[in-house]
Amino acid sequence: MPESAIHPIDRGASRTRSWWGWGYTDAHPDDAECAALGALLPGTLARPLPIPRVADLAIGRPGVMPPPALAHLVTEDPEARAAHAMGKAYRDVIRALRGRPRRIPDLVARPTDDQEVADLLEWAGERGVAVIPFGGGSSVVGGVEYRGDAHQAVLSLDLTSMDRVLEIDTASRAARIQAGALGPALEAQLRPHDLTLRHFPQSFEFSTLGGWLATRAGGHYATLHTHIDDFVQSLRVITPAGAGTSWRLPASGAGPSPDRLFLGSEGTLGVITEAWMRLQERPRYKASASVAFADFHRALDAVRTIAQSDLFPANCRLLDPGEAALSGASHDGSAVLVLGFESATARGDGRLATALDLARAHGGRGEARTAHGDAPADGPVNAWRSAFLRMPYLRDGLARMGAVVETFETATTWDRLPALIEAVRTEVGAAALKATGQEAAINCRLTHVYPDGAAPYFTVAVAGRPGDEVEVWDDIKAVVTDLLHRHHATVTHHHAVGRDHRPGYDLQRPEPFALALRATKDALDPHHILNPGVLLD
């Protein structure tokens, strides 16, 4: 029988979220650290751009006000509106630093249950108010931003007040969870049951279950359950045409999946308010190691061999020499493979040893070092993990120095992967040089591996043109979009399309599917108020 999960959420000491940049304000690089970062890229500014202030933004009066029955759910506070105006992509950060946030929501609503969500949608439809569902605001593709002028006003629908684990079914090992639960709060409520969702994207601390579902988010783990889709048992969605809940089933072949319709829809078809999610036991055993390679192409072969084995490492992340040096995982020009295994029931030492043997057969150098607590024992692994968590803050520090620093991610089959990596280094490097007159640093890492292919992530860093940093990135991004299409690589592996990936997505999706999506939106959202223009026209 379902077991009630009535554990209060311990939010700990209050910290201030940045309205313009990543994470917490007290974790941002100070001016001196920003200057030191800028010194690593020739051509950056002499001093960092000042931290932007909400008071300097042109935030006018709302174009519409809610009826008295909904007024207690809605705020017109300038700080709240500014914090809900954009996501956390590089182009969002630099626009905030330059004081160019574009359209700021007229209102921010924080419903506490399904009925309040339905009431807000009904009012918005009657008044022609665009509604943008909002979780943690960590979108890096323009998915929480309104661009256009077709609506009287814009309402940001913040779901973070709906953040509870409502039920736990221990027999089926599943939980009913509200969509506004941020990653740490979600895991804190599961921990007393010795269970975990085991979905840890880099944005884990600042993103919600609903956001993961609406963007088909990828997690941290390299094999097996890499995307949130794999954990979904059922969804509850509120649309302007009504509410619906899919059945809880372990599997079904009964026609097109209702859940798949809303996964990745980015709030264009409905607002996900709850989900039954498949859980796992918390891991008790962990083993990790790093492997150095003098030859990056032999490292690719090693990773492919491991991916096509039956070992299924939790972490199988390959860093090219530039990425390895940047993270502190290597200082001799080597590429580094980070391997990790974990289990709730069995030690992973044997599987790690086998994976190391496969890596050594391709020229790798590394020894097994095990850890059974929460932190791996291997030095390069620790260095990579620290850099992984710190990187978004450093990106914002470089943005304050006028640098263009952004990551794009994709996935392709193994046979196409080497040519894709070489094309990115050559063509994107040339585009950055043309746009800025400066040589760009382009680093590559494989983050997720599958038997038939892998997901390379590329980070581009180059000094921008002062005041034109967004235009520089847009020029580079256009080259990236064309390149990925020519190499039959997806426009995004790790998260949804948003505004910024639309050109690539339109090339990727079949036209009959596009027609079906448009028809679905017309039926579920007849006034076209839900997140207009993100995934569907």
Side-chain angles (χ1 to χ4, degrees):
M1 294 294 293
E3 175 185 334
S4 178
I6 317 177
H7 295 280
I9 302 171
D10 181 9
R11 293 177 173 85
S14 176
R15 299 175 71 186
T16 302
R17 285 280 305 275
S18 172
W19 73 268
W20 64 272
W22 186 262
Y24 295 113
T25 57
D26 60 10
H28 285 186
D30 60 19
D31 286 3
E33 187 177 1
C34 289
L37 290 168
L40 301 175
L41 281 179
T44 55
L45 301 175
R47 61 181 62 86
L49 295 169
I51 293 174
R53 303 186 311 158
V54 172
D56 295 332
L57 300 177
I59 302 180
R61 294 283 300 165
V64 67
M65 292 301 292
L70 299 177
H72 66 291
L73 302 175
V74 175
T75 181
E76 58 178 293
D77 174 68
E79 294 261 355
R81 292 166 64 187
H84 288 74
M86 297 181 296
K88 301 303 181 188
Y90 166 78
R91 67 191 324 278
D92 302 326
V93 169
I94 197 67
R95 281 189 296 149
L97 288 167
R98 294 293 186 183
R100 306 169 187 166
R102 287 192 183 177
R103 178 95 178 240
I104 292 174
D106 295 76
L107 300 167
V108 176
R110 294 187 173 90
T112 61
D113 60 32
D114 285 10
Q115 186 58 56
E116 291 175 350
V117 171
D119 292 344
L120 286 162
L121 292 182
E122 182 179 8
W123 165 71
E126 292 171 351
R127 295 297 302 270
V129 175
V131 178
I132 301 180
F134 193 99
S138 63
S139 170
V140 292
V141 290
V144 295
E145 178 182 352
Y146 181 85
R147 300 182 195 172
D149 56 8
H151 295 81
Q152 178 182 356
V154 178
L155 173 74
S156 180
L157 188 67
D158 187 319
L159 296 175
T160 53
S161 293
M162 300 172 65
D163 62 352
R164 298 283 172 176
V165 175
L166 300 174
E167 291 183 69
I168 293 182
D169 175 357
T170 55
S172 306
R173 210 166 64 181
R176 181 165 68 98
I177 307 169
Q178 289 183 306
L182 290 159
L186 187 161
E187 287 293 332
Q189 294 174 82
L190 296 177
R191 188 172 292 111
H193 303 273
D194 205 25
L195 294 170
T196 176
L197 181 59
R198 195 182 178 272
H199 184 77
F200 300 108
Q202 189 175 33
S203 62
F204 170 77
E205 194 174 5
F206 308 111
S207 54
T208 63
L209 173 63
W212 303 339
L213 297 168
T215 62
R216 292 189 64 199
H220 164 70
Y221 291 95
T223 62
L224 290 179
H225 308 300
T226 62
H227 273 77
I228 196 67
D229 314 33
D230 302 319
F231 300 109
V232 175
Q233 195 178 60
S234 109
L235 296 180
R236 178 162 176 78
V237 182
I238 310 298
T239 81
T245 305
S246 59
W247 284 19
R248 289 183 61 204
L249 294 168
S252 175
S257 166
D259 297 334
R260 293 278 173 175
L261 178 65
F262 293 101
L263 289 169
S265 66
E266 299 187 77
T268 60
L269 303 178
V271 181
I272 299 170
T273 59
E274 292 180 8
W276 274 96
M277 304 297 295
R278 300 181 177 97
L279 306 178
Q280 301 179 59
E281 293 182 50
R282 297 181 65 80
R284 296 177 177 84
Y285 303 99
K286 297 182 181 181
S288 63
S290 62
V291 186
F293 290 86
D295 186 325
F296 184 68
H297 289 284
R298 293 197 71 189
L300 289 176
D301 290 339
V303 172
R304 175 171 54 83
T305 300
I306 293 170
Q308 291 174 346
S309 71
D310 59 354
L311 296 173
F312 303 120
N315 202 357
C316 186
R317 185 172 298 238
L318 177 62
L319 315 177
D320 77 357
E323 187 77 12
L326 185 65
S327 67
S330 171
H331 302 286
D332 62 359
S334 297
V336 173
L337 172 61
V338 178
L339 285 170
F341 291 85
E342 63 179 42
S343 173
T345 57
R347 293 169 62 97
D349 309 58
R351 287 185 295 155
L352 177 60
T354 302
L356 284 171
D357 287 342
L358 294 175
R360 292 190 194 104
H362 291 85
R365 309 183 309 277
E367 299 295 330
R369 301 179 186 179
T370 61
H372 303 295
D374 287 334
D378 185 88
V381 176
N382 275 327
W384 161 77
R385 174 174 286 187
S386 297
F388 177 75
L389 296 174
R390 182 66 176 154
M391 190 56 66
Y393 291 103
L394 300 183
R395 179 208 63 178
D396 290 359
L398 281 165
R400 289 188 62 199
M401 298 303 297
V404 175
V405 185
E406 187 60 294
T407 297
F408 64 93
E409 31 81 22
T410 183
T412 192
T413 52
W414 287 112
D415 61 317
R416 297 186 176 116
L417 184 61
L420 173 66
I421 293 174
E422 182 60 31
V424 167
R425 288 172 172 160
T426 301
E427 296 182 36
V428 177
L433 180 62
K434 179 181 178 181
T436 67
Q438 301 285 346
E439 296 282 349
I442 302 176
N443 295 330
C444 173
R445 60 191 182 273
L446 299 192
T447 63
H448 299 70
V449 294
Y450 306 92
D452 55 345
Y457 284 45
F458 300 93
T459 298
V460 181
V462 66
R465 296 192 307 262
D468 292 333
E469 295 90 351
V470 171
E471 289 75 11
V472 167
W473 173 244
D474 286 347
D475 288 346
I476 295 172
K477 181 64 181 294
V479 172
V480 169
T481 300
D482 175 70
L483 186 157
L484 295 179
H485 180 62
R486 285 189 284 109
H487 286 262
H488 294 274
T490 183
V491 71
T492 172
H493 165 267
H494 206 64
H495 46 63
V497 176
R499 290 285 191 166
D500 299 334
H501 285 349
R502 268 299 299 272
Y505 179 69
D506 288 346
L507 292 170
Q508 183 176 322
R509 66 181 182 178
E511 184 56 25
F513 178 68
L515 291 172
L517 280 176
R518 294 187 191 107
T520 301
K521 182 168 178 63
D522 288 340
L524 294 178
D525 180 20
H527 299 291
H528 284 209
I529 60 168
L530 276 171
N531 218 3
V534 171
L535 183 64
L536 308 168
D537 290 323

